[in-house]
Amino acid sequence: MKTELNYINLSYQTYSQKEYNISLSYELFGKDLFTAPIILINHALTGNSTVSGDKGWWKQLVGNNQIVDTNKYTVLCFNIPGNGYDHFLIEDYEDFTPSDIANIFLKGLEALHIKKLYAIIGGSLGGGIAWEMLAKQPKLAEIFIPIACDYRTHDWLHAQCLVQKFLLNDKDEPLQKARIHAMLCYRTPESLNDRFQNKYNQDKQRLESEDWLIYHGNALNERFSLQAYKLMNHLLMNINTDETALESIEARMHMISVDTDLFFSASEIRMCFEKLKERKKDVSYHEIQSIHGHDAFLMEYQQLNNIIKNIL
């Protein structure tokens, strides 16, 4: 299984008319290119190209004999330029939009001589970028599986990203503070209350829930760059796929939501599905049931696997 980072050097002009030289990094898993159907997976906000393997963030879904079976498929995952996983950061992050990232990924596919994908799978921000890609190239994939995401950023999510932006611009532990706030959006009150039940840690003299949040804030600070987080939050804040292009997408669409998602609400995703199914026959809707909210797409693997195995 290939796990090393590969690079494609690109010149790109953003919609804001800025010129960038970008070294687009990616990883391949499973079968060699052009020997099997290709599945592109777009990573989420703090994810990266290591989608499978021992350190893979989605290894419960992608791997040998998993639902996305690397014995059967070629799996490709790009790093969003500026996520820092390949040590490349973008200082002027507001130069970029999700539409720009979609263009860069499409240029990456072109450089790899990939004209057709079997499937595109994207969770959260990665799914939003996938919507943008398919709106630009409607014939790109046979199957599209957007998970816990929508084709645009709705007002509630935009508001939460605005709070993130304020926290990230703070001088005192900005990334830790932003991550703590984000964790409360990724999960639900029921999830935290059920897990911690007001238990108090006598050694640390604080609630176990507080300790858990502080741990996650510090853990992300150790592995993620503040500049990268600012970019990712900016992208999440600005998903805005051309709605008029959605019905031209030729891929069979399987939209997956989480019933308790506080970021991309199930009601908004269901509304998108209802509109599309009036014009398209190959669109379906699935809903994960969970108390855990947005993060359920990284937790409820049995449900997710049961849905996807009937799609691929």
Side-chain angles (χ1 to χ4, degrees), residues 206-241:
R206 61 192 181 206
L207 287 170
E208 289 189 3
S209 55
E210 181 181 347
D211 189 55
W212 178 79
L213 288 167
I214 291 170
Y215 165 79
H216 278 282
N218 290 334
L220 187 71
N221 188 56
E222 290 172 4
R223 74 173 180 87
F224 215 79
S225 155
L226 175 61
Q227 200 62 38
Y229 198 102
K230 286 182 176 181
L231 167 67
M232 295 302 158
N233 182 66
H234 171 73
L235 295 175
L236 187 62
M237 194 175 187
N238 289 284
I239 301 167
N240 190 27
T241 310

Side-chain angles (χ1 to χ4, degrees), residues 4-10 22-28 40-41 43 48-50 76-88 104-105 108 112:
E4 72 275 8
L5 279 176
N6 303 280
Y7 296 87
I8 300 168
N9 294 317
L10 301 170
I22 291 171
S23 187
L24 177 63
S25 62
Y26 67 94
E27 291 181 64
L28 287 165
L40 173 68
I41 295 179
H43 70 76
N48 51 57
S49 60
T50 305
L76 167 65
C77 188
F78 293 115
N79 282 299
I80 294 175
N83 76 343
Y85 193 61
D86 52 8
H87 307 294
F88 175 63
I104 292 167
F105 282 9
L112 292 171

